[in-house]
Structures are given as C-alpha cells and as structure tokens.
Amino acid sequence: MSVEYYRKRLIDLRADVAREREAKKRDNEHYADLIKGSSSTSTKASYRKSKIDHAASHDRAIDHLKGEIERAREELAREREREKAAKKRR
C-alpha cells in the first residue's frame, strides 16, 4: 500500500473514533432520560444496566479503533522506510 493510503486510513479511523464517542454520549443521554422518566424501581434498574452495557460496548469499539490507529501508524512508518530505501537504490 502507499503512504497516501495509510494517511487516509488514519483520518478515517480518527473520524470513526469521534463518531463512536458521539454515539456513546447520545446513548448515555437517552438512557439517563429513560431512567429519570420511569417510575418503577425495577424498570430503572433495567435501564441502568442497559446504560452500563451500552457504554461498555462503545468503550470496546473505541479501544478497537485505537488499536487500528496504532497498526496504521506502524504500517505508515514501514511504508515510509520502504520508500526511503527505494529512493536510495536509485
């Protein structure tokens, strides 16, 4: 792959992380509203559990994307080294 590919990949991954953070924020607000609006104790407990589960899911997705960013950075560095080596051979 090319250096440009990895640069674009990094930009896309960073945008995905931002989108996932916004989705987490929206979900937390949604569940907070549900918790405030419910009158039953068991329903509130259920919403709290769902809120925690969804937040954890978003956290896992963010961590996965951060790992992808690290791998893309490493690949970008390798590709730059390959290009330098190729220029030296010429």
Side-chain angles (χ1 to χ4, degrees):
M1 306 278 174
S2 70
V3 171
E4 290 304 317
Y5 168 80
Y6 290 112
R7 285 182 182 159
K8 183 180 180 319
R9 177 101 171 109
L10 283 170
I11 291 167
D12 292 344
L13 288 169
R14 288 180 184 128
D16 290 346
V17 168
R19 275 193 290 277
E20 193 65 35
R21 285 185 176 143
E22 286 299 316
K24 180 181 176 182
K25 192 183 301 185
R26 269 194 317 275
D27 280 354
N28 281 341
E29 289 171 358
H30 173 72
Y31 281 105
D33 290 342
L34 289 174
I35 291 166
K36 286 178 188 175
S38 66
S39 57
S40 167
T41 307
S42 62
T43 304
K44 283 187 180 191
S46 174
Y47 286 147
R48 284 188 184 110
K49 184 181 180 319
S50 293
K51 181 180 177 183
I52 291 168
D53 291 343
H54 281 90
S57 175
H58 287 294
D59 289 339
R60 285 190 301 274
I62 290 168
D63 288 342
H64 173 74
L65 289 168
K66 285 180 179 179
E68 288 290 316
I69 288 172
E70 276 304 308
R71 283 187 282 285
R73 281 183 183 153
E74 291 167 2
E75 289 295 324
L76 178 61
R78 279 190 214 109
E79 190 61 33
R80 284 182 176 153
E81 289 299 318
R82 284 185 203 130
E83 284 186 359
K84 280 184 184 179
K87 285 182 181 179
K88 284 183 180 179
R89 282 187 233 135
R90 292 182 198 167

